[in-house]
Amino acid sequence: MRGYRLALLLLGLVMVAVAAWGTKEHQGRRYLELELNNRYQQTFYDLLTHVQNVEVLLGKCLVAGGRQQAVGLLSSVWQQAMMAQADLSSLPVSPQYTERTAKFLSQVADYANTLCRQAGTGSPLTEENWETLRRLYQQASSLNRELHRVEAEILARGPNFWELGRRLKARQARTAEAPASPFRALNRETQNYPTLVYDGPFSDHLEKQKPEGLTGPPVDRGRAEARARELVEPKPTRVRVTGEVKGRIPAYRVEADTAAGKVVALLTRQGGHLLLLLAERHPGKPRLKVEEARGRAEGYLRDKLGLKNMRLSYSVQKGALAIFNFIPEEGGVALYPDMVKVTVALDDGRVVGVDSYSYLMFHRPRSLPQPRLTAAEARGLLNPRLKVENQRLALIPTDGGKEKLCYEFKARLGEDIYLIYLDAERGEEEKILKLVPTTGGELAL
Amino acid sequence: MRRSVKVAFMVLLLLLPLAFWGAERARAQNPTLYWGSTGWHVMRVQQRLAQWGYYDGPIDGVFGYQTWKAVRYFQWKNGLAVDGVVGPATWAALGFPSYTPTPAVSRGYATDRDAVLLLARLIMGEAADEPFEGKVAVGAVVLNRMRHPGFPKTIPGVIFQPGAFESVSNGQIWRPLSPEAVRAAELALAGWDPTGGALYFWNPAKAVSPWVWTRTIITRIGNHVFAR
């Protein structure tokens, strides 16, 4: 009888303890839930505010008379749209639903920025620019309206971003239903946005660029395998095509077994050019100097890939690897768009990586314009605080997918090194690059 | 004597803000001072000598006998040439080193290390058991997203976008890094992209949302399908 009572008492105590522990856990979870929810709510309301600002500012752009006014407004559009884009991608909504809307916001920002720079160089907004702004204004209004509908829906169901986030995680394993439903409608709405072509990095025309550096007839698998046999170091014991890469430059995927491990090579379907090379093995202790490895990389380009006139532009040592960036030089002009990168293992000096995507994408016979400014004239336009160390003519890619002939200056301010590109025609600063010193990084200019 | 010290002290108090205002510029040139020099540079010397107990005359900005004596005493005590002239060496010994023209802009502290390690974490989380090519491929997808208008504009933005990567949702990315993952991240950042521009990848052996099959499949590497 006594034992029974004691057991009962103990059981009671245990239950009290469990209840207390459970309450504490529950409170902790409740706290986290609220806290996370609040963060998401804030992000959502930030998104609403920023999109609303984009709409209003775009409206103002349509009526702005002066250039100065327009520049101010456009830079605000740029900033607000960027923030809206960042807000949208911080919400617990699967990227598949936010992609289109995020793209729209990026493009608005990018377009505003492009116009801003255009106005900065003195050219006024054209009729076409105005028409595009008007269209963007309308789309921003409809996005704003949709978002407010989403807000109403979320408010009606109570603040449940926590739930959204939790189910989003589960989604990956099961289905993409329910949680994001208000945002799904939003995504459908944005499907109808027309394409936007302009001179900026997110312009739609860049997605449709075709490779220009592919020469030669289409090759079959056997030819691709034979080519891989020539290109892979050391001599492979077995090569076979294991698949295809249907990217912008269609290619065969060839796996080669060598004494030093597996090597993967992508060879283009047209012409059988080497698009990419990647050796699996982890290089051992470095025994070569970067300078010696450079000779190997240059030899590989010349003898195996048949690329002449390639100049080293930058090299960097990453552990037991050295990465070299080469660019072709034509008539004293450095062609930056046509870059080829080569990686050499510093233990045995073999080439373990090649990336010639840019070269195959952009290299072609070009008729380069004559610079209108002389080098000395261009130099006179630089910020006088800079100490110029070197200069040459260079063709550089612009954000909008075009190319521009520039004077390239390597200059120093204090300890920092800058690369400054001046338009060889009008002398405007096209680009300023700051060299970030990394251990083992070396600029060859 | 006491009175003059007091007055000098008050004058000094009044001048103090001025002294601070001028300090930056004054450091640019510490003029050589000798018997007969006047001005507030002399006052700086007198003040410092008085502080350090070499001088008990008035801090009046006039290089006279008392100052000369104090300077010589100070030079003698500090192993300097005892000439009663305040040149660069004496200025420095007094705690006012002459200005060496260092550039106003010092070297920046920008680095790509954080990006490499963060990307390596994601590669570790998503593709630890994949071949090396598959690891580089996952890194390339992150960079392709970063350059695509529909995704965040930074590497952390892409990686931590809610619901974007399973290994971020379940904490797998915080596993210890392997050197291979870091090497893959470095190559991906250097531009290697075995995926041909993919924005999505998934493991078809795991149950996935039917939505993924609406994307354009580009290639398959290891256990992952890559698509745009």
Side-chain angles (χ1 to χ4, degrees), chain A residues 3 17-19 78 87 109 116 119 124 170 183 191 203 214 268 285 301 314 332 392 396 444:
Chain A
V18 166
W78 172 28
D87 294 333
C116 218
F183 289 94
Q191 298 269 334
S203 167
L214 291 179
T268 60
K285 240 188 166 58
L301 283 181
Y314 181 73
R392 65 172 168 186
I396 63 167

Side-chain angles (χ1 to χ4, degrees), chain B residues 126-135 138 180 203 221-224:
Chain B
E126 293 288 331
D129 303 324
E130 293 293 308
F132 183 62
E133 186 197 4
K135 290 190 170 70
V138 166
E180 203 190 13
N203 184 343
I221 301 169
N223 294 317
H224 284 145

Side-chain angles (χ1 to χ4, degrees), chain B:
Chain B
M1 187 63 204
R2 279 217 84 90
R3 211 184 123 80
S4 66
V5 168
K6 220 172 178 177
V7 169
F9 185 69
M10 276 165 68
V11 169
L12 198 75
L13 270 184
L14 285 172
L15 285 177
L16 212 58
L18 199 70
F20 279 127
W21 172 75
E24 272 306 304
R25 293 161 41 143
R27 201 167 301 145
Q29 60 253 34
N30 291 325
T32 303
L33 303 176
Y34 37 82
W35 195 318
S37 299
T38 53
W40 83 276
H41 286 296
V42 179
M43 250 158 85
R44 286 165 71 206
V45 173
Q46 289 173 331
Q47 191 197 346
R48 182 54 55 88
L49 288 171
Q51 263 174 12
W52 291 353
Y54 293 96
Y55 177 67
D56 58 359
I59 296 171
D60 54 4
V62 178
F63 202 122
Y65 174 68
Q66 272 181 302
T67 314
W68 180 77
K69 240 180 71 183
V71 168
R72 285 179 63 96
Y73 180 39
F74 173 79
Q75 289 172 329
W76 177 74
K77 271 283 221 186
N78 289 278
L80 299 156
V82 185
D83 55 2
V85 175
V86 185
T90 310
W91 271 114
L94 281 165
F96 301 111
S98 20
Y99 179 74
T100 45
T102 52
V105 182
S106 62
R107 170 172 281 189
Y109 192 65
T111 157
D112 66 341
R113 205 62 208 154
D114 332 318
V116 170
L117 292 181
L118 192 56
L119 195 58
R121 289 212 165 282
L122 185 80
I123 290 170
M124 206 56 209
E126 293 288 331
D129 303 324
E130 293 293 308
F132 183 62
E133 186 197 4
K135 290 190 170 70
V136 178
V138 166
V141 165
V142 171
L143 293 167
N144 289 339
R145 284 192 179 188
M146 200 175 79
R147 292 185 206 108
H148 188 275
F151 291 89
K153 296 286 163 291
T154 60
I155 290 178
V158 169
I159 289 179
F160 293 110
Q161 182 173 19
F165 297 104
E166 199 176 356
S167 66
V168 177
S169 304
N170 63 22
Q172 288 282 311
I173 65 160
W174 301 112
R175 289 196 286 181
L177 285 174
S178 75
E180 203 190 13
V182 175
R183 194 157 55 94
E186 277 166 347
L187 277 184
L189 274 168
W192 268 255
D193 178 8
T195 70
L199 293 174
Y200 296 92
F201 66 89
W202 62 88
N203 184 343
K206 291 186 188 170
V208 284
S209 144
W211 165 86
V212 297
W213 300 109
T214 64
R215 312 299 303 197
T216 319
I217 291 172
I218 303 175
T219 192
R220 192 181 165 131
I221 301 169
N223 294 317
H224 284 145
V225 171
F226 289 82
R228 196 165 36 217

Side-chain angles (χ1 to χ4, degrees), chain A residues 264-267 274-278 354-356, chain B residues 133 191-194:
Chain A
V264 174
L266 302 187
L267 292 149
L274 181 64
L275 172 62
L276 188 116
L277 184 106
L278 206 54
V354 176
D355 170 23
S356 47
Chain B
E133 186 197 4
W192 268 255
D193 178 8

